[in-house]
Amino acid sequence: MGGAAVSGPGTLNMSRMKRMAGPDPRAGFKAGGTDCSTSVPQGLLKAARKSGQLNLSGRNLSEVPQCVWRINVDIPEEANQNLSFGATERWWEQTDLTKLIISNNKLQSLTDDLRLLPALTVLDIHDNQLTSLPSAIRELANLQKLNISHNKLKILPEEITNLRNLKWLYLQHNELICISEGFEQLSNLEDLDLSNNRLTTVPASFSSLSSLVRLNLSSNQLKSLPAEINRMKRLKHLDCNSNLLETIPPELAGMESLEMLYLRRNKLRFLPEFPSCSLLKELHIGENQIEMLEAEHLKHLNSILVLDLRDNKLKSVPDEIILLHSLERLDLSNNDISSLPYSLGNLRLKFLALEGNPLRTIRREIINKGTQEVLKYLRSKIKDDGPSQRDSATETAMTLPSESRVNVHAIITLKMLDYSDKQATLIPDEVFDAVKSNIITSVNFSKNQLCEIPKRMVELKEMVSDVNLSFNKLSSISLELCMLQKLSFLDLRNNFLNSLPEEMELLVRLQTINLSFNRFKMLPEVLYRIFTLETILISNNQVGSVDPQKMKMMENLTTLDLQNNDLLQIPPELGNCVNLRTLLLDGNPFRVPRAAILMKGTAAILEYLRDRIPT
């Protein structure tokens, strides 16, 4: 009875009244331990008796003070000093401790006094130096969430299998070499993280964890998965990144609830088929040794949104890729692909990565312009009459000697004004003169030596939607660019920019801006006011901060690339930007979120940040 959980802070707990008359039989001897007056403020303990929650993270503790273990056993100090409590101060009516956070300390062990807190539902001891857990942990029968990540555990005590109410168990970043016998008894477990340990096998009995929804086994030394894994009928998220897997059991293809499967950085040579995985939304299988992608692999992936095949040995993409009607992101970078099926252009992709392939059928400047231009080009080739069309158009259009440096064919057939890769410091007038009465939707002046925006760009203000000024020497943006009222795609990467003019707010149709490889020290304020923006690429700058409140107002923003900047911290409020589908943060000097979180992808990062918003 002595420490049983009570139904609420206002419920009378008679056991506490009894403690005034005699000792609690569970209390044992009152050990010396750490002095509470110096390590834990009395006000914190007092508040914990009311709320049932105590947070002692980051206090440099080398052991847990006795007053913490005995918070529900001993009469509080203030009660001994003054027994005339008011109605709200009657400590015996206040709730047992249900949530204890002692993370980010220097704890090397916990004592069996842990049993004095039987009402705990949450115990968080991540980021300490624990090498073992006390056997008394078996007595925490109400425990639902246990976080022991980032410690030095080599084995788990068998007693942990007694925690039958456990739903969330986090064991990542320890030194575990095997999993305890009887682990399958944790039948209510929904979320299990064993990543970044030293596991070489997963026991077949694991399949009895029938409530499991999320399982993270990444960054271990697994060479295989048990065939019985398909018995996990509720599993939605399986992460096996960074292991030594050479094959996937065919039984995995029968996991009907699976939505996200991560198999990156393994040794897979063949892609499994997924006949029953009709709910699979994300398949990450990059950085393996897969040589072939066939129709059989694709035809059942009816719900797939993300397909990551980067860094493999693929030589081709089958025409059946068009069957993936829901696909939004396709990463084919760093393979051996020399051509793409034109039908790929009919998919509604938001992101297509092709870098690092020996593509011979698509010009580099089209790839550089991004996903939508590549798709547009592929669609145009479906309608193309034949290979001779381009040559004849070029010959008949090249009429004036003064236009010999101007790609008139591009103007007439592609509606593109192209004067790229010329190392020019100015765009000659003859380039603009060649437009005549033709409609121009794209301008490509990349890979020159331009120090300023050509003033005659303003002549195209009512028709141009795509502008590529990358790989120049621009140090500022002039008003001419801000007058391109139909502009939707703007590529300014690899210049010398450190600011953008406020007048860019006039670009009310801008959807994508690429500012990578410049000299920005902060995200330009004007971007927060361009509410049509869907993609901001600002990697490889010196950005030190972002404003999460302003960013939350950008409801169309789905992609934000902040890789390789100077962000010392990520504001937790960024987690409220729930519309973000892609948030890239690698290569910054911040300590949290850790790399393991970043590897899990955008949804996990945003959830991690939201959990850290002060309440």
Side-chain angles (χ1 to χ4, degrees):
M1 283 293 296
V6 294
S7 59
T11 306
L12 181 64
N13 190 334
M14 292 303 296
S15 63
R16 290 210 177 81
M17 295 293 286
K18 292 174 186 173
R19 288 177 207 153
M20 296 179 68
D24 189 293
R26 291 174 302 134
F29 294 102
K30 192 168 181 176
T34 302
D35 181 13
C36 261
S37 60
T38 58
S39 57
V40 184
Q42 284 299 316
L44 211 55
L45 291 174
K46 187 176 178 181
R49 289 190 188 96
K50 288 184 179 180
S51 67
Q53 302 185 7
L54 180 58
N55 187 341
L56 296 174
S57 64
R59 289 182 173 268
N60 230 17
L61 298 174
S62 55
E63 60 181 326
V64 179
Q66 275 294 306
C67 60
V68 173
W69 297 136
R70 303 177 65 87
I71 190 170
N72 299 142
V73 175
D74 294 338
I75 298 172
E77 193 174 310
E78 64 267 25
N80 290 324
Q81 293 168 356
N82 177 14
L83 286 172
S84 58
F85 282 85
T88 58
E89 296 289 323
R90 292 183 299 189
W91 60 269
W92 57 85
E93 289 188 358
Q94 292 160 15
T95 189
D96 279 342
L97 200 65
T98 58
K99 183 175 183 179
L100 176 61
I101 302 173
I102 40 179
S103 56
N104 289 290
N105 283 292
K106 296 181 178 177
L107 304 174
Q108 295 184 358
S109 63
L110 300 177
T111 68
D112 277 337
D113 287 334
L114 187 64
R115 64 164 60 95
L116 300 181
L117 299 173
L120 280 182
T121 59
V122 176
L123 177 59
D124 188 345
I125 40 182
H126 74 80
D127 281 277
N128 279 286
Q129 297 164 24
L130 299 172
T131 55
S132 64
L133 294 174
S135 58
I137 198 166
R138 71 186 298 163
E139 298 185 35
L140 303 184
N142 294 303
L143 204 61
Q144 294 182 22
K145 182 176 182 179
L146 177 59
N147 188 344
I148 331 172
S149 62
H150 294 272
N151 278 284
K152 298 181 178 179
L153 299 176
K154 288 186 169 62
I155 56 170
L156 290 173
E158 285 184 25
E159 288 83 359
I160 209 168
T161 62
N162 282 62
L163 305 177
R164 303 295 166 81
N165 287 310
L166 208 58
K167 290 184 178 180
W168 300 278
L169 178 56
Y170 302 117
L171 294 162
Q172 67 267 31
H173 287 275
N174 277 282
E175 299 170 12
L176 298 172
I177 52 175
C178 64
I179 295 165
S180 319
E181 285 293 319
F183 206 82
E184 66 277 4
Q185 295 173 42
L186 300 175
S187 56
N188 286 308
L189 205 58
E190 295 177 10
D191 191 349
L192 174 59
D193 194 335
L194 284 159
S195 63
N196 290 277
N197 279 285
R198 300 175 183 173
L199 302 174
T200 54
T201 57
V202 176
S205 59
F206 236 48
S207 59
S208 299
L209 296 172
S210 56
S211 299
L212 209 61
V213 174
R214 184 177 172 278
L215 175 60
N216 191 341
L217 296 166
S218 65
S219 298
N220 278 285
Q221 297 164 26
L222 301 175
K223 292 185 178 178
S224 63
L225 295 174
E228 293 82 357
I229 198 168
N230 68 335
R231 291 188 202 153
M232 294 180 172
K233 295 300 182 188
R234 295 185 60 198
L235 196 69
K236 292 183 179 180
H237 182 125
L238 176 60
D239 190 341
C240 297
N241 281 346
S242 301
N243 277 284
L244 305 171
L245 299 173
E246 295 181 4
T247 58
I248 297 297
E251 289 82 0
L252 187 140
M255 300 181 73
E256 296 174 3
S257 297
L258 201 62
E259 293 182 7
M260 304 178 82
L261 178 58
Y262 294 83
L263 295 165
R264 291 181 69 176
R265 287 183 293 279
N266 278 284
K267 296 186 175 182
L268 300 173
R269 298 185 64 186
F270 303 99
L271 189 65
E273 294 173 26
F274 299 97
S276 299
C277 298
S278 58
L279 298 179
L280 194 66
K281 291 181 174 65
E282 296 194 17
L283 175 58
H284 299 264
I285 203 159
E287 296 177 69
N288 279 282
Q289 297 164 28
I290 296 168
E291 296 182 5
M292 195 166 294
L293 183 63
E294 295 181 348
E296 292 300 311
H297 300 134
L298 303 173
K299 66 182 183 183
H300 301 290
L301 300 176
N302 304 328
S303 303
I304 199 84
L305 299 173
V306 177
L307 181 56
D308 168 17
L309 291 159
R310 65 173 298 137
D311 292 279
N312 276 287
K313 296 180 179 178
L314 296 174
K315 291 182 170 57
S316 62
V317 178
D319 285 323
E320 286 78 7
I321 193 85
I322 193 65
L323 297 174
L324 308 184
H325 300 298
S326 303
L327 194 64
E328 294 181 356
R329 298 178 60 81
L330 176 60
D331 193 340
L332 295 169
S333 50
N334 301 320
N335 277 281
D336 297 326
I337 299 167
S338 56
S339 65
L340 292 173
Y342 296 147
S343 57
L344 186 63
N346 286 327
L347 289 177
R348 296 178 181 176
L349 294 176
K350 293 180 179 177
F351 174 86
L352 172 62
L354 298 169
E355 298 84 3
N357 282 289
L359 286 167
R360 291 192 289 271
T361 54
I362 307 179
R363 298 196 308 280
R364 173 57 49 189
E365 63 254 34
I366 293 175
I367 294 173
N368 287 345
K369 291 197 68 176
T371 298
Q372 298 312 315
E373 278 306 309
V374 173
L375 298 180
K376 192 190 298 183
Y377 172 80
L378 291 171
R379 284 196 299 273
S380 74
K381 300 304 284 184
I382 296 174
K383 303 166 190 169
D384 220 344
D385 291 332
S388 63
Q389 184 183 3
R390 176 173 174 168
D391 301 332
S392 58
T394 307
E395 287 169 20
T396 54
M398 299 292 271
T399 51
L400 301 175
S402 63
E403 295 174 356
S404 58
R405 290 186 292 170
V406 184
N407 188 342
V408 181
H409 162 71
I411 292 174
I412 294 171
T413 61
L414 300 178
K415 298 180 181 178
M416 178 192 290
L417 188 58
D418 186 358
Y419 196 77
S420 59
D421 210 1
K422 301 282 196 280
Q423 303 305 310
T425 54
L426 294 169
I427 304 298
D429 280 338
E430 65 195 72
V431 173
F432 289 100
D433 294 340
V435 173
K436 297 181 179 171
S437 60
N438 290 293
I439 299 292
I440 292 294
T441 58
S442 301
V443 173
N444 185 359
F445 293 159
S446 64
K447 296 183 181 172
N448 283 296
Q449 304 281 324
L450 302 179
C451 295
E452 60 181 24
I453 307 280
K455 294 197 180 327
R456 289 188 64 182
M457 285 268 286
V458 76
E459 296 173 14
L460 310 172
K461 67 179 183 178
E462 293 182 7
M463 49 185 173
V464 73
S465 60
D466 293 16
V467 170
N468 188 346
L469 289 162
S470 61
F471 297 92
N472 277 289
K473 294 186 174 181
L474 300 173
S475 56
S476 64
I477 299 299
S478 61
L479 297 184
E480 282 80 11
L481 192 67
C482 305
M483 296 173 72
L484 303 180
Q485 57 199 34
K486 293 193 175 178
L487 193 64
S488 63
F489 176 95
L490 178 57
D491 191 343
L492 292 168
R493 71 194 139 131
N494 291 81
N495 278 286
F496 301 146
L497 299 169
N498 59 21
S499 65
L500 295 179
E502 297 299 308
E503 289 80 4
M504 280 187 70
E505 196 173 354
L506 300 171
L507 299 175
V508 294
R509 296 191 183 183
L510 190 62
Q511 295 178 345
T512 298
I513 187 166
N514 192 340
L515 299 169
S516 302
F517 293 95
N518 275 284
R519 297 178 178 181
F520 292 97
K521 295 193 173 174
M522 59 182 288
L523 197 71
E525 279 290 320
V526 69
L527 295 185
Y528 294 119
R529 299 197 299 279
I530 305 176
F531 297 114
T532 49
L533 274 173
E534 298 175 2
T535 300
I536 298 177
L537 309 176
I538 192 167
S539 66
N540 296 279
N541 279 274
Q542 300 156 38
V543 174
S545 65
V546 292
D547 188 328
Q549 309 298 346
K550 292 178 181 175
M551 194 156 283
K552 188 183 176 186
M553 305 296 288
M554 304 177 72
E555 294 183 354
N556 290 307
L557 189 66
T558 57
T559 299
L560 177 61
D561 184 353
L562 287 162
Q563 294 178 102
N564 301 317
N565 275 288
D566 293 343
L567 293 167
L568 288 169
Q569 58 184 29
I570 304 299
E573 293 78 9
L574 194 62
N576 288 329
C577 298
V578 292
N579 293 321
L580 280 177
R581 298 284 178 83
T582 305
L583 174 61
L584 303 174
L585 297 170
D586 291 321
N588 280 282
F590 58 77
R591 293 183 64 187
V592 291
R594 295 175 183 270
I597 298 288
L598 300 185
M599 282 171 58
K600 291 179 185 176
T602 300
I605 296 171
L606 296 178
E607 183 181 355
Y608 174 92
L609 292 172
R610 280 196 298 277
D611 286 347
R612 276 148 187 79
I613 296 174
T615 52

